[in-house]
């Protein structure tokens, strides 16, 4: 089986790394399978792209489509045009896409129109929020997918409601957690750890990039000042996404506790998660990592496509309200962490299950 693997943005790289390792393991056992890794270039900043290939020992992509940025439509169209040429030059039996970025949807559409089967890793997750571009990407991708690989039974239920055949749905676990387990003994402190005199469990970690939190300048500044005040005597490490950095620019917000740092590589970032007191974020994927590591996570969104991180894990939805965040954080300081666990099959073996299943198709 010839498999084309698609990676376009930071979360994709984390999910694709263990899948490649699983394929290579099967090859070493004599399986007649091969893969071609296509980097769409959706994330082209070195800190958001190349670093992850190096740290996670992902082989160099066979091709980088170099689509770079643009509006949702421009970027999606550029990926489709470039990927169609790629598939015409390098046909395959299966295109495997991961997650929910523009590359995921665009490459799935191109593959299906060329009568190539599509496998979607992390299929079936839903936030119910159609203002999120990722939600549209998920729905479109799942509407044309042949093989669905899910992180939870809830995701499978979502797919069945949308007409997917149960025989094509495979609950395999979470490939992001495969990568986490494979690299926990390799994580390292970032170079600013000593400079900022950071100590385990004595700082907060903050990430913000969603339009609802960062696109309106005044709201963003008010939010940052509120979080800064909430922390009191705790430092807050804020690896700033290029999108957010552009909005803040060179303005002096007079923040006492928030320390702006560059986007972090995977090994440094997981070190920061594992050693922090709590995480404040608007990312979905980070809530998965904090769940497994047992770190309290306050998610600044009104919905989540990963409900298991709330019902089983350490995640709390606080909406876009600073008031809700402050209340939830205060409750945590008074009552400490609630009881938590790790969702079913988040055991580091999801990628092996996926490749085992595909090689039987």
């Amino acid at each position: 089986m010839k498999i084309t693997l698609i990676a376009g943005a930071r979360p994709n790289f984390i999910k694709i790394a263990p899948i490649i390792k699983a394929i290579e393991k099967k090859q070493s056992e004599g399986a007649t399978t091969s893969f071609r890794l296509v980097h769409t270039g959706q994330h082209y900043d070195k800190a958001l792209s190349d670093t992850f290939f190096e740290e996670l020992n992902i082989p160099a992509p066979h091709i980088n489509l170099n689509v770079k940025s643009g509006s949702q439509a421009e970027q999606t169209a550029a990926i489709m045009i470039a990927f169609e040429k790629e598939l015409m030059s390098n046909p395959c039996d299966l295109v495997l896409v991961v997650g929910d970025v523009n590359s995921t949807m665009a490459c799935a559409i191109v593959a299906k129109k060329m009568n190539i089967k599509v496998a979607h890793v992390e299929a079936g997750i839903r936030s119910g929020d159609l203002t999120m571009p990722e939600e549209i990407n998920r729905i479109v991708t799942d509407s044309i997918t042949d093989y669905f690989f899910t992180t939870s039974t809830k995701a499978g239920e979502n797919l069945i409601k949308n007409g997917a055949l149960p025989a094509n749905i495979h609950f395999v676990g979470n490939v992001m957690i495969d990568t986490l387990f494979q690299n926990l003994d390799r994580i390292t402190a970032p170079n600013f750890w000593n400079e900022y005199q950071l100590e385990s469990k004595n700082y907060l970690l903050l990430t913000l990039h969603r339009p609802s939190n960062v696109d309106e300048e005044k709201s963003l500044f008010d939010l940052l000042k509120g979080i800064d005040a909430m922390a009191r005597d705790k430092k807050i490490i804020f690896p700033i996404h290029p999108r957010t950095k552009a909005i803040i620019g060179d303005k002096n917000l007079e923040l006492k506790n928030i320390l702006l740092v560059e986007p972090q590589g995977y090994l440094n970032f997981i070190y920061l998660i594992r050693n922090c007191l709590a995480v404040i974020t608007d990312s979905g994927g980070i809530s998965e990592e904090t769940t497994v590591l047992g770190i309290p996570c306050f998610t600044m969104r009104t919905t989540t496509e990963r409900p298991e991180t709330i019902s089983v894990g350490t995640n709390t939805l606080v909406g876009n309200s600073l008031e809700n965040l402050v209340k939830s954080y205060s409750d945590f300081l008074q009552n400490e962490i609630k009881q938590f666990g790790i969702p079913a099959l988040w055991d580091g073996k999801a990628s092996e299950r996926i490749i085992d299943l595909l090689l039987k198709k």
Side-chain angles (χ1 to χ4, degrees):
M1 175 183 282
K2 292 182 179 180
I3 304 173
T4 293
L5 306 173
I6 305 300
R10 175 190 181 276
N12 290 176
F13 311 142
I14 298 170
K15 294 164 189 172
I16 218 78
I19 294 172
I20 290 174
K21 288 182 174 66
I23 293 173
E24 291 174 338
K25 180 182 177 184
K26 283 296 181 183
Q27 289 173 329
S28 70
E29 295 170 355
T32 54
T33 184
S34 63
F35 71 89
R36 181 173 173 83
L37 178 58
V38 175
H39 183 352
T40 67
Q42 180 175 332
H43 272 180
Y44 52 92
D45 182 281
K46 182 175 175 61
L48 294 176
S49 176
D50 293 1
T51 298
F52 286 84
F53 279 82
E54 296 161 7
E55 290 189 336
L56 299 178
N57 296 317
I58 303 172
H62 294 86
I63 188 171
N64 188 327
L65 304 182
N66 286 311
V67 299
K68 299 193 176 180
S69 62
S71 70
Q72 293 282 331
E74 289 170 334
Q75 189 177 71
T76 301
I79 295 168
M80 292 179 71
I81 292 168
F83 187 54
E84 182 181 56
K85 294 175 182 176
E86 156 65 20
L87 277 186
M88 290 175 70
S89 300
N90 298 279
C92 64
D93 302 305
L94 176 84
V95 169
L96 185 147
V97 297
V98 297
D100 51 24
V101 299
N102 288 341
S103 299
T104 305
M105 178 185 71
C107 292
I109 292 172
V110 171
K112 284 303 288 184
K113 290 200 170 187
M114 296 179 69
N115 296 315
I116 298 171
K117 290 189 178 298
V118 172
H120 185 198
V121 174
E122 206 178 75
I125 64 172
R126 297 287 186 273
S127 69
D129 181 2
L130 285 173
T131 66
M132 292 176 61
E134 297 92 337
E135 184 77 349
I136 297 167
N137 292 344
R138 294 172 197 132
I139 293 170
V140 173
T141 302
D142 284 339
S143 71
I144 56 176
T145 287
D146 296 285
Y147 308 123
F148 305 90
F149 296 110
T150 66
T151 60
S152 68
T153 55
K154 175 64 176 175
E157 292 169 4
N158 291 337
L159 291 167
I160 290 171
K161 287 178 183 176
N162 288 336
L165 297 176
N168 295 334
I169 301 170
H170 306 283
F171 174 32
V172 293
N174 192 330
V175 293
M176 278 189 70
I177 305 309
D178 293 8
T179 296
L180 181 66
F181 285 158
Q182 289 170 8
N183 290 280
L184 267 181
D185 61 350
R186 300 177 60 235
I187 62 174
T188 55
N191 55 18
F192 55 76
W193 182 268
N194 291 329
E195 177 188 351
Y196 291 149
Q197 300 180 322
L198 298 177
E199 298 175 354
S200 182
K201 307 307 176 189
N202 200 33
Y203 66 92
L204 303 175
L205 182 61
L206 172 67
T207 78
L208 295 171
H209 73 281
R210 296 204 177 271
S212 56
N213 287 321
V214 306
D215 273 9
E216 207 285 307
E217 185 179 279
K218 184 179 185 303
S219 296
L220 172 62
F221 293 173
D222 289 345
L223 178 60
L224 290 176
K225 290 175 182 177
I227 293 173
D228 190 70
M230 180 190 80
R232 298 182 184 176
D233 60 338
K234 298 285 189 296
K235 294 184 176 71
I236 304 172
I237 301 301
F238 184 15
I240 189 162
H241 191 280
R243 177 193 191 98
T244 313
K245 185 176 182 178
I247 295 170
I248 293 177
D250 57 1
K251 297 179 182 66
N252 181 8
L253 302 183
E254 299 182 348
L255 302 172
K256 296 179 180 178
N257 297 305
I258 294 178
L259 300 169
L260 304 182
V261 300
E262 291 299 311
Q264 298 298 294
Y266 182 80
L267 300 178
N268 288 161
F269 190 71
I270 295 299
Y271 187 96
L272 288 170
I273 292 179
R274 192 178 197 184
N275 287 281
C276 72
L277 177 67
V279 172
I280 302 167
T281 187
D282 55 12
S283 163
I286 290 174
S287 68
E288 296 174 308
E289 293 157 339
T290 54
T291 281
V292 171
L293 294 173
I295 302 298
C297 181
F298 302 97
T299 298
M300 300 208 66
R301 288 168 49 188
T302 56
T303 61
T304 179
E305 62 279 5
R306 296 166 172 89
E308 63 273 20
T309 64
I310 296 173
S311 60
V312 178
T314 59
N315 188 23
T316 302
L317 276 187
V318 296
N320 303 115
S321 163
L322 176 63
E323 182 181 353
N324 288 345
L325 172 63
V326 171
K327 182 180 185 306
S328 294
Y329 179 68
S330 298
D331 289 346
F332 156 66
L333 291 180
Q334 291 177 12
N335 303 312
E336 296 188 345
I337 195 169
K338 64 182 180 181
Q339 291 225 328
F340 71 94
I342 297 177
L345 297 188
W346 289 24
D347 57 3
K349 299 178 181 178
S351 300
E352 294 180 20
R353 295 185 186 103
I354 289 168
I355 299 307
D356 283 342
L357 285 161
L358 284 177
L359 293 183
K360 293 175 183 175
K361 297 298 183 182

